[in-house]
Amino acid sequence: MKSFVCITGATGGLGKAFAVECASRGWNLFLTDLSGKNLENLSRGLASTYDIEALYYPCDLANDGSQKDFFAYIQKEKLEFDILINVAGLDFEGFFTERTPQQIRTITRVNIEGNLEMTYAILKARDKEKPFRIINVSSLAAFYPMPIKAMYSASKRFLLNFSMALREELRPAGVTVTALCPAGMPTTEGCRQSIESQGFAGRLTTKNVGYVASKTIDHALKGHAVYIPGLLNRMLRFVGFMFPSGLLARAICERWKSTRKRKEAIL
Amino acid sequence: MEKTEKQKTAVVTGATSGIGLAIASELAAKGINVIGIGRDSELCKKVKNNIESLYGDVRIEYLTADLSKLSHIRQLSSNIKNMANSEDDKSIDILINNAATVSSWFVGTEDGLELQFAVNHLAPFLLTHELLPLLAACSQGRVITVSSSSHYRTRIRWNDILMRKNYNCLKAYKQSKLANVLFTAELNRRSESNMNLIALAADPGLVNTNIGLKGTSGIVRWVWKKRSKKGVNPKKAAQSIVYLALTPDINRFNEIYWKDCKPKRPGRYAQKEDNASKLWKISEKMCGIKSADYGL
Ligand SMILES: NC(=O)c1ccc[n+]([C@@H]2O[C@H](COP(=O)([O-])OP(=O)(O)OC[C@H]3O[C@@H](n4cnc5c(N)ncnc54)[C@H](OP(=O)(O)O)[C@@H]3O)[C@@H](O)[C@H]2O)c1
């Protein structure tokens, strides 16, 4: 039977890069994200450009009902999978106390619970003939406590730890789990501005999404546990081991405050 | 029988700034019925009013579309068809594919493509296909695609045409402008036997516009700021393109690449037929169409 690659957050910058990369390798796709219209355009383009089958079903991971429909669709169509790429995730940057309760709930629903439930359901629909690959998009922010992105970086830390533990649990079953920990990527206008405002350092830690997607798949196929794109970023990770995390958090907070000031000066 | 200029209709993309705006104004001033394409409806309105107040009694309408999106191009085409069909002679004489963009970053489009390749090459490709019935309905339809001397000394990256892995702003731009010439050459070959169509690629030279300032940052932006100052004004550049649009029997000797109202030899890579046909086939797939269905 034919199996599919399931990608969440598929119409965002990184998700789309994964979708294009998988399509260019001739793999069939099952894409999901919030907007059906966006999914339709992307699936249609990829199916015709790369001669693959591209299915989609919109789903709001923060909404239980929508998620139920999504899993029911998979069952009804008897879809089988050999790769799951969990890209969906979001951030509301700024001080925790400035967030609304709704935003707080959405972050944990999408970044954590959404990921867990998706992983659980897709593993059940796994194509048993083949090895199974899971890629979880964590972040470089997972390696340090990050003020101003407190919830976000903690949620990414959750995914990192979860991925590494799950990897061991599922090793005998022929499943690999890879955590991707990228620094900022210029995928949206907002990201691009934020990278710009960090100046030279921002640009150095930035990598092309297409490159990242392609390399990540290579690492996942080799069953690696963690992939951090970029040499400098890999070194930054060790900074996280070298200094006490309290001190790091303080330094990061100072840095963000100053770039925020710079950004405001630009605007 | 050759139509008078007052009986002709022209479609101009990117008609809200730079060279395209100057082309649209010039054509309208000559009495041609102009359909300008822009991406920002407010800007379209403003520009239309400006042209009308400058030239008085002209016929110019604007339609909006984001040319980086295939869905918008399809919608735009059907809007143009509706507009043309409400006129007496139901045809389009001139299509000027002028819109183009430069981007410092790799930007993925909604169809899974790259921004510069989509706007600069695939938009002309798809729009021309969709408008073929209207172009074929007049005695000698003309498709002019604004290319550039950037098309020299570059090539098509066949194994990563969207430059997903190794994006470089300038290389992506150069490749897209090369694609314009290859597209023009192949369009002539394909339409030769069954359509009276002329496809031309225009090189406007260096022109003082903001093209390098819109989607760019850092060094690219800085260089363009300095360099564009040395360019001619858009009005001057537009005149040579209007010449291509209106001169009867222009390509008697099958010259497809023009600069300053004179034919010029395009780059060697651009002259190779197999490059053109290979690019054409890839473009068909990316747009999800079959040229045969359009009579090409
Ligand atoms: N300037 C030069 O020296 C030079 C040299 C060689 C060739 N060219 C070529 O000349 C042509 C015109 O360039 P220009 O210098 O006049 O640049 P420009 O002033 O930036 O004009 C480009 C036009 O394309 C439109 N456009 C860009 N992205 C679009 C999108 N996604 N959807 C719809 N429309 C879009 C722009 O709309 P807005 O008005 O909304 O921005 C603008 O009207 C281009 O094909 C360029 O490659 C220019």
Side-chain angles (χ1 to χ4, degrees):
Chain A
M1 217 182 115
K2 156 160 56 188
S3 45
F4 290 84
V5 178
C6 176
I7 305 177
T8 72
T11 61
L14 183 58
K16 195 157 34 184
F18 272 118
V20 178
E21 177 63 30
C22 293
S24 77
R25 292 178 188 234
W27 299 342
N28 298 316
L29 301 174
F30 180 63
L31 308 177
T32 183
D33 208 323
L34 290 172
S35 146
K37 191 88 207 109
N38 291 350
L39 286 166
E40 183 190 337
N41 286 323
L42 183 61
S43 314
R44 179 170 161 174
L46 296 179
S48 98
T49 304
Y50 301 100
D51 289 319
I52 53 145
E53 193 171 335
L55 307 176
Y56 65 89
Y57 197 91
C59 173
D60 178 357
L61 289 173
N63 176 311
D64 288 336
S66 167
Q67 220 180 50
K68 235 179 237 144
D69 293 344
F70 179 81
F71 295 136
Y73 177 82
I74 290 177
Q75 272 189 344
K76 193 182 102 232
E77 299 292 319
K78 298 200 172 52
L79 298 180
E80 288 194 351
F81 302 92
D82 57 353
I83 299 183
L84 165 64
I85 309 180
N86 282 308
V87 183
L90 51 93
D91 183 20
F92 301 105
E93 200 170 279
F95 292 99
F96 179 66
T97 47
E98 291 168 7
R99 304 279 70 87
T100 65
Q102 183 62 38
Q103 287 176 322
I104 292 172
R105 212 169 305 124
T106 309
I107 282 220
T108 46
R109 281 295 294 134
V110 177
N111 293 16
I112 299 176
E113 292 171 43
N115 182 300
L116 297 179
E117 284 149 0
M118 188 62 68
T119 306
Y120 189 79
I122 300 294
L123 266 172
K124 285 216 170 348
R126 143 178 201 202
D127 178 348
K128 296 199 178 57
E129 318 269 279
K130 297 185 184 160
F132 189 86
R133 317 286 180 183
I134 299 173
I135 296 170
N136 284 329
V137 178
S138 176
S139 163
L140 197 59
F143 294 105
Y144 342 92
M146 286 192 78
I148 321 225
K149 292 161 109 47
M151 284 183 290
Y152 176 80
S153 69
S155 74
K156 292 301 180 182
R157 180 68 182 197
F158 179 98
L159 289 184
L160 180 64
N161 282 10
F162 171 68
S163 301
M164 295 180 75
L166 184 68
R167 179 164 181 266
E168 294 312 319
E169 279 186 30
L170 295 178
R171 190 190 284 275
V175 179
T176 64
V177 186
T178 303
L180 165 65
C181 299
M185 280 177 292
T187 51
T188 63
E189 198 45 53
C191 291
R192 284 192 275 275
Q193 271 172 17
S194 134
I195 292 166
E196 291 285 305
S197 73
Q198 289 182 57
F200 186 60
R203 212 159 308 148
L204 262 188
T205 51
T206 300
K207 283 270 167 225
N208 236 321
V209 263
Y211 171 88
V212 169
S214 169
K215 282 281 177 220
T216 306
I217 303 271
D218 290 342
H219 283 283
L221 293 179
K222 289 183 195 141
H224 294 168
V226 177
Y227 170 48
I228 304 171
L231 185 65
L232 183 71
N233 295 327
R234 280 195 281 282
M235 291 174 355
L236 279 177
R237 169 197 184 176
F238 290 105
V239 175
F241 300 143
M242 274 153 43
F243 297 95
S245 46
L247 193 70
L248 266 179
R250 180 124 179 222
I252 292 167
C253 195
E254 290 306 318
R255 192 174 137 65
W256 272 99
K257 277 190 198 146
S258 80
T259 52
R260 199 186 209 188
K261 251 186 238 138
R262 207 163 354 140
K263 222 193 296 186
E264 277 159 9
I266 291 172
L267 295 177
Chain B
M1 197 191 66
E2 185 68 24
K3 286 189 209 170
T4 67
E5 300 190 342
K6 297 226 170 354
Q7 293 166 321
K8 288 186 178 173
T9 300
V11 173
V12 183
T13 69
T16 43
S17 55
I19 305 170
L21 170 58
I23 296 171
S25 316
E26 186 85 11
L27 288 172
K30 287 186 184 296
I32 288 160
N33 180 29
V34 176
I35 304 174
I37 315 299
R39 57 178 157 178
D40 169 352
S41 59
E42 284 305 309
L43 186 58
C44 289
K45 248 183 251 156
K46 208 177 101 194
V47 161
K48 175 175 145 70
N49 287 339
N50 272 351
I51 294 177
E52 282 169 343
S53 65
L54 272 175
Y55 298 96
D57 189 22
V58 294
R59 293 179 298 158
I60 184 160
E61 289 301 331
Y62 272 85
L63 294 172
T64 49
D66 180 343
L67 296 174
S68 70
K69 300 178 169 152
L70 299 177
S71 60
H72 278 216
I73 299 172
R74 290 192 199 98
Q75 183 59 49
L76 170 70
S77 308
S78 87
N79 293 346
I80 293 175
K81 281 176 195 161
N82 289 340
M83 221 163 174
N85 283 331
S86 66
E87 300 276 325
D88 292 339
D89 79 348
K90 307 192 187 330
S91 68
I92 284 176
D93 302 80
I94 302 155
L95 166 61
I96 301 184
N97 290 311
N98 160 80
T101 194
V102 178
S103 171
S104 279
W105 305 99
F106 176 95
V107 177
T109 72
E110 69 170 27
D111 306 285
L113 303 162
E114 183 273 320
L115 183 68
Q116 292 202 59
F117 194 73
V119 175
N120 304 4
H121 167 61
L122 292 173
F125 184 86
L126 182 57
L127 188 60
T128 304
H129 275 84
E130 294 293 341
L131 298 185
L132 265 185
L134 295 172
L135 287 158
C138 61
S139 60
Q140 195 188 60
R142 219 164 264 199
V143 178
I144 298 169
T145 305
V146 183
S147 176
S148 159
S149 57
S150 301
H151 92 273
Y152 292 105
R153 289 176 298 279
T154 184
R155 64 198 162 82
I156 305 287
R157 274 83 179 160
W158 298 113
N159 44 26
D160 187 13
I161 208 165
L162 302 177
M163 298 195 193
R164 287 185 298 123
K165 293 170 204 170
N166 262 313
Y167 184 79
N168 172 287
C169 167
L170 219 61
K171 285 181 183 160
Y173 180 74
K174 283 174 74 69
Q175 173 178 269
S176 74
K177 292 287 124 180
L178 171 61
N180 292 152
V181 187
L182 290 168
F183 161 69
T184 301
E186 183 72 9
L187 179 59
N188 280 319
R189 277 193 284 276
R190 286 183 178 238
S191 61
E192 199 171 43
S193 62
N194 59 353
M195 262 174 240
N196 197 1
L197 195 77
I198 296 178
L200 303 169
D203 175 350
L206 183 63
V207 191
N208 188 1
T209 69
N210 289 336
I211 189 164
L213 306 181
K214 291 175 184 173
T216 57
S217 65
I219 189 108
V220 176
R221 198 182 158 84
W222 185 83
V223 169
W224 184 251
K225 241 186 201 152
K226 301 267 170 250
R227 200 170 121 79
S228 61
K229 296 270 187 313
K230 301 204 189 89
V232 300
N233 71 20
K235 197 173 159 72
K236 173 107 201 315
Q239 277 160 1
S240 66
I241 293 170
V242 168
Y243 171 87
L244 295 183
L246 299 180
T247 309
D249 291 328
I250 188 142
N251 73 339
R252 249 168 306 162
F253 303 106
N254 276 326
E255 285 125 342
I256 63 155
Y257 189 81
W258 292 70
K259 186 179 182 192
D260 300 330
C261 306
K262 286 191 289 285
K264 194 178 169 195
R265 196 185 261 282
R268 219 178 322 138
Y269 199 96
Q271 294 177 39
K272 295 228 168 77
E273 279 186 32
D274 48 341
N275 291 335
S277 82
K278 195 169 170 188
L279 177 68
W280 189 280
K281 289 190 190 107
I282 293 173
S283 311
E284 277 180 278
K285 289 192 128 186
M286 287 182 165
C287 295
I289 58 168
K290 290 207 168 60
S291 296
D293 299 342
Y294 296 78
L296 284 177

